[in-house]
Amino acid sequence: VPIQPIRKIAISTGGGDAPGLNAVIRAVVLAALQKGWECHGIRDGYNGLLDPTAYPEGGVVPLTRASVAGITHLGGTILGTTNRGNPARFPVPQPDGSYVEVDRTDELVERFQAAGLDALVTVGGDGSLSIGYLLARKGLRVVGVPKTIDNDLDRTFMTFGFDTAVSFATECLDRLHTTAASHRRVMVVEVMGRYAGWIALHSGLAGNADVILIPEIPYDVEKVAETIRARQRNGRTYTVVVVAEGAREVGGDFTVQGRAVGQAERLGGVGEKLARQLEERTGKEARTVVLGHLLRGGSPTSFDRLVALRFGAAAVRALDEGQSAVMVSLAPPTVRYEPLKEAVRRMKTVNLDSDTIETARELGICFGD
Ligand code: F6P
């Protein structure tokens, strides 16, 4: 079947935001315009198409050179995003206050085609990319761009947003060292990352943490307590602990805050729990800092800006080459394409045989094992 020429494409940003999304949007728009294509932005994931009445100013908006001027360095996404608008499991409120999840993907494909859109660039994490793959299977031309501060996407060396999150967490650790030392305290710093320990591992190492707890290595509280006591015996009167929100004790469960309709499990709270356990076991005062959404905000680092711009331009190049159902991927020193199907197959967690883990162990950092 001959491929229809592209005249009009759409871009959508979905899931939790990440610094660098606007840089992707800018690159997609400018590269598309250069090819003579029109580029439109869908508001809030796919909600702009699925629920247009909620957008008096338009659920799908034309993106011009002016709309993307001066946004490379801005955090967030000018299109908006959502992590509760999965069109395959769309939450529909019922009269009794409950929700029923319905599959609206066929409707989405119809609306996409009715709007005269020839192809979609979907920027997102595993959720949005899985939806992108589903839409590609239903006939849309789709290119995915991997985004998440968690860095847990497979088939790409790194996602944009991660470097910014790690840089900020590292700066926070630098600041916490001095106050921890002044007060001879244990400082527990909880970072995001879902079920992967990338942010905790990289910021913990760069920020000189004494203990790093990640989901990939279930921890024993007593081992952490003993590290604190041993440091004390050696005249090191304070300890900085980085704990990933998805870390858990050996044989224990994830610490969760609950689950909202249409959303994934919300992790959080392990830091405070651990601080209390450590206080009890060591007799030292412990404080908790939860970095949370601070890790998702702010200006992208130059590394993330560059990756995001390269990803955006590469997505347009892929469409121009007639590719579909692929994800743009960072494979230093270049950018290449991976089948979306493969990219969403599994989560990328920290490889315990990696030299980064080995380095941390050689520096004497405790993983609680
Ligand atoms: O996936 C990005 C992320 O920030 C995770 O690290 C975190 O668990 C989750 O999103 C938080 O989601 P929300 O913004 O819905 O609280």
Side-chain angles (χ1 to χ4, degrees):
V1 188
I3 308 168
Q4 291 290 320
I6 290 178
R7 269 180 246 104
K8 192 169 162 181
I9 67 166
I11 176 166
S12 140
T13 55
D17 66 349
L21 279 169
N22 283 325
V24 178
I25 296 171
R26 177 173 158 86
V28 167
V29 171
L30 296 184
L33 292 178
Q34 206 175 90
K35 301 215 177 288
W37 306 348
E38 267 180 52
C39 189
H40 292 245
I42 305 173
R43 293 254 182 238
D44 300 349
Y46 299 107
N47 286 355
L49 262 180
L50 288 172
D51 193 9
T53 52
Y55 301 87
E57 74 288 5
V60 182
V61 290
L63 295 174
T64 62
R65 183 167 280 279
S67 357
V68 297
I71 63 168
T72 302
H73 66 292
L74 297 181
T77 158
I78 59 165
L79 293 176
T81 185
T82 175
N83 54 11
R84 38 191 329 175
N86 184 342
R89 286 170 34 206
F90 202 84
V92 178
Q94 302 298 298
D96 66 353
S98 66
Y99 284 83
V100 171
E101 291 181 345
V102 295
D103 182 354
R104 296 186 66 188
T105 45
D106 287 333
E107 195 186 338
L108 182 63
V109 171
E110 274 163 34
R111 290 186 184 208
F112 195 86
Q113 284 159 349
L117 296 164
D118 302 311
L120 169 71
V121 176
T122 174
V123 194
D126 59 340
S128 310
L129 295 177
S130 301
I131 297 162
Y133 177 55
L134 203 67
L135 297 176
R137 278 173 48 200
K138 295 198 171 199
L140 293 191
R141 282 154 79 173
V142 180
V143 171
V145 174
K147 159 243 66 167
T148 167
I149 62 162
D150 305 333
N151 197 37
D152 61 354
L153 288 180
D154 200 23
R155 298 286 185 132
T156 183
F157 174 68
M158 226 177 235
T159 51
F160 68 84
F162 174 64
D163 184 63
T164 308
V166 169
S167 302
F168 178 73
T170 303
E171 189 196 322
C172 292
L173 289 173
D174 291 348
R175 288 170 184 246
L176 292 169
H177 268 282
T178 51
T179 171
S182 313
H183 288 265
R184 301 170 174 237
R185 279 174 172 159
V186 174
M187 196 61 81
V188 178
V189 186
E190 181 182 312
V191 296
M192 282 185 166
R194 287 208 302 180
Y195 307 105
W198 295 108
I199 298 178
L201 176 63
H202 284 219
S203 64
L205 200 41
N208 273 312
D210 309 297
V211 180
I212 301 176
L213 304 177
I214 59 176
E216 294 83 349
I217 308 176
Y219 61 89
D220 176 348
V221 182
E222 183 47 34
K223 295 267 171 63
V224 182
E226 186 44 34
T227 299
I228 295 167
R229 289 188 213 108
R231 282 175 57 77
Q232 186 83 19
R233 290 195 292 273
N234 291 325
R236 314 283 293 161
T237 55
Y238 76 96
T239 299
V240 173
V241 178
V242 177
V243 58
E245 62 178 1
R248 52 179 168 166
E249 285 181 62
V250 178
D253 271 334
F254 297 116
T255 312
V256 296
Q257 304 242 332
R259 179 190 220 119
V261 181
Q263 278 181 332
E265 182 173 62
R266 260 182 75 203
L267 296 167
V270 65
E272 183 58 19
K273 193 170 80 185
L274 178 67
R276 301 288 71 82
Q277 289 169 317
L278 293 175
E279 236 174 27
E280 203 170 284
R281 284 173 192 252
T282 64
K284 289 190 71 70
E285 209 178 20
R287 291 287 186 271
T288 316
V289 176
V290 181
L291 294 183
H293 292 83
L294 290 168
L295 295 167
R296 294 230 302 256
S299 234
T301 58
S302 53
F303 179 87
D304 279 340
R305 292 182 202 189
L306 196 58
V307 170
L309 293 169
R310 290 167 69 197
F311 276 0
V316 169
R317 236 177 279 138
L319 289 174
D320 195 39
E321 289 163 6
Q323 299 203 63
S324 183
V326 293
M327 180 189 83
V328 177
S329 140
L330 186 64
T334 190
V335 159
R336 66 173 182 222
Y337 306 104
E338 295 282 342
L340 259 181
K341 186 181 180 181
E342 300 302 324
V344 299
R345 205 190 281 281
R346 60 181 278 272
M347 179 171 59
K348 185 180 71 184
T349 51
V350 172
N351 172 5
L352 298 185
D353 297 328
S354 65
D355 84 285
T356 313
I357 291 278
E358 211 180 343
T359 302
R361 290 199 190 276
E362 285 161 356
L363 292 176
I365 293 173
C366 162
F367 284 102
D369 60 345

